Amino acid sequence: EVQLVESGGGLVQPGGSLRLSCAASGFTLRSYWMHWVRQAPGQGLVWVSRINSEGSSTTYADSVKGRFTISRDNAKNALYLEMNSLRVEDTAVYFCARASTPAPNTGILGYWGQGTLVTVSS
Amino acid sequence: DIQMTQSPSSLSASVGDRVTITCQASQDITHYLNWYQHKIGKAPKLLIYDVSNLETGVPSRFSGSGSGTDFTFTISSLQPEDIATYYCQHYGTFGQGTKVEIK
């Protein structure tokens, strides 16, 4: 069974940093592109970032570019999101998601975790 | 950047009703359009990919259609367990979401 479990969320002050992790199981992580998607309180889903299966190519939403870094450790079955210079507007539940198939860059998010809450507040 | 405009933002319907949600892209996206269901406190769930392909295990009352810039998501007979917010998505862009409630 495919499982994605996010961790690392919490309360952080504006300007601070946080590193989210996503533990993957039930499949071979190195075969799939992975994504981060967030949902601010009372708002809709917003795509944040994606990384190819090897970890050699990354893409970011304009709102996080230069502040967030997506990475992966296929040997540890883990996906990460390093978040720096956090702003109040980064407050959200962050979901990791797996591409539906190993085919590159389909943009279809077949499996999702339950999310981890990041709160940026002073 | 491509924008996805989804409507309505919310709807209320009775059990057994046919429910339709539309999604319009700001430019031609051919068939690269997916639909997700998100229930409060749960992980979002892929329902339909590439406009009209039903994900494995998804009930057949869910369907999708369209091409180019205009797309439609339909629940043929609304069930109580369908209460959720539904999103269209094209690569890095989601629609604003449609909250579906029971009347």
Side-chain angles (χ1 to χ4, degrees):
Chain A
E1 180 192 4
V2 172
Q3 284 200 330
L4 298 167
V5 181
E6 303 91 338
S7 61
L11 175 64
V12 60
Q13 291 189 339
S17 298
L18 214 53
R19 188 197 200 201
L20 305 183
S21 299
C22 173
S25 60
F27 66 100
T28 304
L29 181 65
R30 66 174 180 271
S31 297
Y32 294 87
W33 289 49
M34 297 293 293
H35 301 249
W36 287 98
V37 176
R38 70 184 181 184
Q39 182 179 35
Q43 304 298 309
L45 299 175
V46 175
W47 177 83
V48 173
S49 182
R50 70 180 180 211
I51 186 167
N52 71 346
S53 54
E54 301 87 4
S56 59
S57 175
T58 59
T59 310
Y60 300 91
D62 287 343
S63 59
V64 307
K65 202 173 295 183
R67 300 188 299 122
F68 289 13
T69 302
I70 189 172
S71 62
R72 63 195 295 159
D73 187 333
N74 289 335
K76 293 184 178 179
N77 292 315
L79 174 73
Y80 305 104
L81 186 67
E82 186 78 36
M83 304 185 296
N84 298 315
S85 303
L86 282 161
R87 306 167 180 168
V88 171
E89 55 265 34
D90 294 319
T91 295
V93 174
Y94 285 74
F95 300 96
C96 69
R98 194 204 83 174
S100 61
T101 72
N105 200 22
T106 65
I108 304 168
L109 307 183
Y111 293 90
W112 298 62
Q114 299 238 358
T116 186
L117 176 62
V118 172
T119 303
V120 185
S121 174
S122 54
Chain B
D1 289 357
I2 295 175
Q3 307 300 318
M4 306 299 294
T5 303
Q6 187 176 336
S7 62
S9 57
S10 66
L11 65 88
S12 181
S14 300
V15 172
D17 281 357
R18 183 181 186 87
V19 167
T20 299
I21 298 168
T22 64
C23 185
Q24 185 171 59
S26 58
Q27 59 186 271
D28 188 346
I29 59 171
T30 63
H31 63 279
Y32 299 109
L33 191 282
N34 312 307
W35 292 95
Y36 300 85
Q37 176 191 65
H38 191 201
K39 297 183 179 181
I40 294 174
K42 299 291 186 69
K45 178 183 178 182
L46 174 67
L47 297 181
I48 292 171
Y49 62 95
D50 291 346
V51 176
S52 59
N53 295 284
L54 208 60
E55 178 71 344
T56 302
V58 173
S60 59
R61 64 180 180 274
F62 296 100
S63 64
S65 64
S67 66
T69 60
D70 295 301
F71 303 90
T72 300
F73 172 83
T74 300
I75 307 173
S76 61
S77 177
L78 186 66
Q79 299 302 304
E81 59 267 32
D82 300 336
I83 300 313
T85 301
Y86 294 84
Y87 296 88
C88 63
Q89 175 241 354
H90 168 75
Y91 285 100
T93 305
F94 286 90
Q96 299 91 330
T98 297
K99 186 175 183 180
V100 174
E101 298 175 319
I102 295 287
K103 192 181 294 183

